Amino acid sequence: MFKAEIYKARRAELRRRIGSGLILLPGNSEAPRNYFDNAYAFRQDSNFIYYFGLQQPDLFGILDADSGEELLFGDDCSIDDIIWMGPQPSMVERGSWVGVERTAPLAAAAEVVGKAIRAGRKVHFLMPYRGRTVLQLARLTGIDPLRMVEHLSPELAVAIAAMREVKGPEELEELENAFEVGYAMHTAAMRATREGISERMVAGEMEGITHQLGEGVSFHSIVSQHGETLHNHSHEGILTNGKLLLVDAGGESVNNYCSDHTRTFPVSGKFTDVQKDVYNVVLRAHDRVIEEARPGKYMELHNLALRTLVEGLAGLGLVKGNPDDAFAAGVAGLFMPHGLGHGIGLDVHDCENMGERGLGANFAPIAATGKVDSCIMRSAWMLRPGTVLSDEPGIYFIPALIEQWKAEGKCKEFVAYDKLEKFYDFGGIRIEDDLVITENGCYQIGRDKHIPVTVEEIEAYMAK
Ligand code: GLY
Ligand code: MN
């Protein structure tokens, strides 16, 4: 948790940006796993952490943008709670840690929200992503839970995302702590990798570290020799010499800031010539992004990465013709069918719960379409000093996609389809690091070190 002044200043700024009405900020409850008392590890809502910093379940914050009042709702512990969990700080005490003077039992939130609604005041809330929170907000506001999406507040989404996107010094420090978790994870994965063990063993080795150094993983670890499957969560494969292992994994710092890195390395510890060639094309794209990243349009960086990949693939003979024409024809989509990166902060895809990036005219497909699970494109995202984003280009040989493009004759003058069959069991390569945008450039998170990334660094590290 940070100093109370930080949370007070953030809440004041949010009230100022919203101007009028009530702002509802629900905390998370425990999420049962297979029965009520056996819950997943508790994870507080990231917006609640950002404005109130408190970690226990069943808290609810309300900011009154007109009067400036700030209320924190939650229940003091009962004798039952003390028996099972030990003595707990009171709500008054918890409020004092984060600069909130007025606390009340959770049930009292209904009266405050009800009064505002009866008075015709605007009540701002975001689209809740957990069923229990949907029901809680439905009960407080009287809105049909199935139509909640029609009532969420785009102004609140824009204001919160705009604030969270620009990281303060205390947050950048936390992201460095998250990097330390990520560094320990990825180097442990390289040390653990050897023929004959399962992907599960490598994943377990890394995930144990996230609990030793932080608050667990920042998302499901991807540890797979089938790196061509972008989000492959199976860890069932047995490591085989000659294959590449793709590890996309991150951890949370103790204050819930996230890291997200990908390394792809040979099970044997030595790249083959072909693996090295493809790897170096991806690495060039990753490095070009670091050279060019600065305030401005995210899409320019995305396109720079794609263009660099196309040039490199042309050098390997897998893309034919003029690379500029091949890029313009969209050939990169066959090899890298995903975006270059995403925001990173309290969420590993930071602020994506607030909707599409851009936060202006192109904002909020959630509000416009009611789709809460659409893929975020970030096509209007503007990078500002203090934005943190992942830089994660990749090349994937996805047999089904190649076969589909080939059957459709897609980009046939630019894709050397005859040469691609040899790559059907290659897998995929992704390289990912986390960047902070500065006034006129960027730097890579990692105070005094980076996870081995060049062919030479990886081979040397794995040989140790
Ligand atoms: N690290 C997983 C992702 O970026 O989607
Ligand atoms: Mn990522």
Side-chain angles (χ1 to χ4, degrees):
M1 195 185 303
F2 302 128
K3 289 194 303 249
E5 284 63 38
I6 287 183
Y7 301 105
K8 280 169 85 167
R10 289 175 180 174
R11 292 191 300 264
E13 176 60 16
L14 182 62
R15 285 190 276 104
R16 188 193 69 74
R17 285 178 186 241
I18 294 299
S20 176
L22 277 197
I23 303 166
L24 311 187
L25 294 165
N28 276 337
S29 301
E30 295 279 16
R33 190 164 170 265
N34 51 342
Y35 59 95
F36 202 78
D37 276 345
N38 191 19
Y40 290 104
F42 177 71
R43 175 54 153 85
Q44 184 58 286
D45 173 76
S46 296
N47 289 326
F48 195 87
I49 297 176
Y50 187 79
Y51 292 105
F52 287 96
L54 297 170
Q55 286 292 352
Q56 105 251 29
D58 299 321
L59 299 177
F60 198 96
I62 296 183
L63 308 180
D64 188 324
D66 297 286
S67 71
E69 248 180 327
E70 300 185 333
L71 294 157
L72 178 64
F73 298 91
D75 295 332
D76 283 325
C77 65
S78 65
I79 187 66
D80 263 3
D81 296 329
I82 293 172
I83 292 169
W84 289 97
M85 306 187 310
Q88 304 290 316
S90 68
M91 281 304 299
V92 169
E93 217 173 326
R94 290 187 202 265
S96 73
W97 298 341
V98 293
V100 180
E101 281 164 21
R102 287 193 55 196
T103 64
L106 189 57
E111 200 183 312
V112 175
V113 178
K115 193 169 156 204
I117 288 175
R118 286 192 298 278
R121 297 181 65 201
K122 174 88 184 152
V123 175
H124 299 269
F125 58 87
L126 298 178
M127 187 62 211
Y129 54 90
R130 289 191 184 183
R132 207 179 146 100
T133 318
V134 173
L135 295 176
Q136 180 185 40
L137 286 176
R139 200 160 167 198
L140 286 174
T141 59
I143 294 168
D144 177 348
L146 297 176
R147 307 194 67 170
M148 189 125 286
V149 74
E150 295 164 27
H151 300 269
L152 61 88
S153 165
E155 304 95 290
L156 184 61
V158 169
I160 292 181
M163 288 182 68
R164 278 183 50 190
E165 286 238 327
V166 176
K167 267 59 179 181
E170 72 288 350
E171 297 187 279
L172 294 175
E173 192 59 24
E174 274 302 316
L175 285 160
E176 294 288 348
N177 296 338
F179 169 82
E180 295 295 335
V181 183
Y183 179 88
M185 292 168 77
H186 281 270
T187 49
M190 288 180 192
R191 291 195 302 275
T193 291
R194 63 179 175 279
E195 188 173 46
I197 67 165
S198 62
E199 293 163 351
R200 180 185 285 270
M201 289 295 288
V202 179
E205 194 78 26
M206 286 194 307
E207 293 185 0
I209 290 171
T210 69
H211 296 288
Q212 290 166 350
L213 302 183
E215 277 297 306
V217 296
S218 48
F219 59 96
H220 283 306
S221 305
I222 299 165
V223 180
S224 179
Q225 292 173 115
H226 278 287
E228 78 281 8
T229 305
L230 300 184
H231 277 180
N232 188 347
H233 291 142
S234 160
H235 297 155
E236 296 306 320
I238 302 297
L239 302 191
T240 309
N241 280 343
K243 299 293 288 180
L244 291 169
L245 182 66
L246 187 150
V247 177
D248 181 349
E252 292 194 358
S253 70
V254 290
N255 285 315
N256 295 119
Y257 281 79
C258 299
S259 69
D260 184 5
H261 295 271
T262 308
R263 288 295 183 268
T264 310
F265 45 87
V267 170
S268 69
K270 285 290 276 184
F271 288 84
T272 66
D273 288 345
V274 177
Q275 287 169 346
K276 206 181 291 185
D277 286 345
V278 179
Y279 189 91
N280 281 329
V281 172
V282 181
L283 185 60
R284 177 84 189 120
H286 164 276
D287 291 351
R288 286 288 293 130
V289 168
I290 298 174
E291 283 160 22
E292 295 300 326
R294 67 199 61 206
K297 292 181 184 155
Y298 156 79
M299 279 311 280
E300 287 182 3
L301 284 184
H302 172 80
N303 286 329
L304 171 70
L306 294 189
R307 187 178 281 273
T308 309
L309 292 181
V310 169
E311 285 164 8
L313 287 162
L316 300 182
L318 299 179
V319 164
K320 304 183 288 189
N322 179 316
D324 285 341
D325 297 340
F327 171 74
V331 89
L334 178 60
F335 298 98
M336 182 176 138
H338 65 72
L340 170 69
H342 50 83
I344 295 183
L346 282 165
D347 294 312
V348 70
H349 281 209
D350 207 34
C351 299
E352 291 190 356
N353 193 44
M354 265 73 82
E356 188 57 90
R357 315 305 273 212
L359 315 174
N362 291 331
F363 167 72
I366 292 180
T369 66
K371 280 175 108 178
V372 293
D373 57 353
S374 60
C375 187
I376 301 274
M377 298 298 294
R378 316 175 186 103
S379 53
W381 189 20
M382 292 300 288
L383 308 177
R384 290 175 284 167
T387 304
V388 178
L389 81 159
S390 68
D391 168 20
E392 50 179 309
I395 291 180
Y396 313 89
F397 297 96
I398 306 170
L401 186 64
I402 298 170
E403 287 292 322
Q404 186 186 328
W405 278 45
K406 191 165 142 188
E408 290 171 2
K410 216 165 156 180
C411 290
K412 62 179 187 301
E413 62 277 45
F414 300 116
V415 179
Y417 285 112
D418 54 324
K419 295 194 179 149
L420 285 183
E421 241 167 74
K422 282 210 299 278
F423 287 83
Y424 280 13
D425 66 350
F426 183 97
I429 292 175
R430 177 161 65 251
I431 304 172
E432 176 176 21
D433 286 302
D434 304 338
L435 310 180
V436 181
I437 301 293
T438 59
E439 288 296 333
N440 45 23
C442 80
Y443 68 88
Q444 192 173 317
I445 297 180
R447 282 183 191 95
D448 52 2
K449 57 182 180 286
H450 64 265
I451 302 164
V453 69
T454 64
V455 165
E456 296 72 26
E457 285 168 355
I458 289 173
E459 289 186 346
Y461 191 83
M462 291 184 76
K464 271 198 239 160

